[in-house]
Amino acid sequence: ILFFSSSPHTSLYSLQDALLYQPNEPDIARTIVQTPDMFYLPYESVSIETIDKEKLHGYLIKQTEQADQCETLIFFHGNAGNIGHRYEPFCFFSVCFYLNKFSLQNAYLLYRACHINILLFDYRGYGRSTGIPSESGLYIDAQAVYEYVRKRSDLNQEKIFLFGRSLGGAVALHLGMLLILIQNKKLFVILSAYLGQMETTPALFAVIVENTFTSIADMAKQLFHVFLLDYIPILCYKNVVRRKKWKINFVNFVFLG
């Protein structure tokens, strides 16, 4: 089995990113990004710089009244398309990773029904954001976006929510766990470099995930039903994105099916 190969084009290991991250589906996803104007929402276009100098494009949709008192939700989208358009799956692997549909429509409904502020953003390599998507890169993006919200004096710093859909659920959970560890001063040595870069203290209120997954390995088994996958070691998976076994005590987690 060609998990590793001298040729990057034949190695299954090197192809995993192409299977998991689909920023070019559909083919206009990197050039056309719809704006909240289509739902008559007030918004601010934002550009967020990561610690590795990538620029993330996003929309901050604020309430027109008492925005500084409303909750703020950071929206982590799925593995395909961008924040501004409807994505319809049409390749096999996307069947379980399709939920980047209607990001703007969802934002509109949340904005009207819940009276909250919403930050939509594209990961690196998606939409108008720079870079190439990768697991470690998406984690860096999540940290940068969260830190951006924490620096906004016009946003309520007491109630910040993370909402992750499909692949975005894994990214949101990872960020939530990281913030919990920082808050409780666990693994300080490992996280010391990151702690030095954070200029604000964690203030996470809740993490909400919808149609996410336990791990990439488990997802592969569900998709392909090949018994050999049960015997493949985790090191063969380029994108780990797996469950964490840390105990959760200090933040609310909500799982939606």
Side-chain angles (χ1 to χ4, degrees), residues 4 8-9 13 26 74 92-93 95 97 148-149 154 156 165 177 197 204 214 221 226 237:
F4 303 95
H9 301 292
Y13 184 83
I74 304 174
F92 178 73
F93 191 81
V95 171
F97 288 96
Y148 173 82
V149 171
D154 56 340
N156 185 349
R165 171 173 290 163
M177 290 296 186
Q197 294 163 355
L204 183 62
T214 53
K221 294 172 187 176
V226 178
Y237 291 92

Side-chain angles (χ1 to χ4, degrees), residues 129-246:
S129 298
T130 64
I132 300 173
S134 67
E135 181 181 357
S136 60
L138 265 60
Y139 294 156
I140 292 172
D141 296 346
Q143 295 169 13
V145 171
Y146 180 78
E147 189 67 7
Y148 173 82
V149 171
R150 294 287 286 130
K151 292 177 180 178
R152 294 280 303 228
S153 60
D154 56 340
L155 297 177
N156 185 349
Q157 297 298 316
E158 299 301 320
K159 289 188 177 181
I160 300 174
F161 291 76
L162 308 181
F163 174 82
R165 171 173 290 163
S166 189
L167 177 65
V171 181
L173 286 170
H174 182 274
L175 176 60
M177 290 296 186
L178 179 62
L179 294 173
I180 291 169
L181 291 175
I182 294 172
Q183 185 175 7
N184 294 286
K185 298 182 175 18
K186 296 178 180 178
L187 300 180
F188 180 82
V189 175
I190 297 176
L191 296 171
S192 59
Y194 176 63
L195 284 167
Q197 294 163 355
M198 286 195 69
E199 299 179 6
T200 54
T201 55
L204 183 62
F205 187 80
V207 178
I208 305 168
V209 295
E210 177 187 357
N211 284 32
T212 193
F213 47 88
T214 53
S215 71
I216 292 296
D218 291 344
M219 205 70 237
K221 294 172 187 176
Q222 289 292 321
L223 283 169
F224 301 114
H225 302 288
V226 178
F227 75 94
L228 288 175
L229 292 174
D230 293 330
Y231 303 98
I232 295 176
I234 194 66
L235 62 86
C236 291
Y237 291 92
K238 186 175 183 181
N239 298 279
V240 182
V241 193
R242 62 177 178 264
R243 64 176 71 86
K244 304 295 183 183
K245 295 183 178 179
W246 302 322

Side-chain angles (χ1 to χ4, degrees), residues 60-80:
L60 177 59
I61 306 171
K62 292 171 54 179
Q63 294 291 328
T64 55
E65 296 181 2
Q66 298 181 320
D68 59 342
Q69 299 180 30
C70 299
E71 294 84 354
T72 297
L73 182 144
I74 304 174
F75 196 112
F76 296 83
H77 66 67
N79 76 314

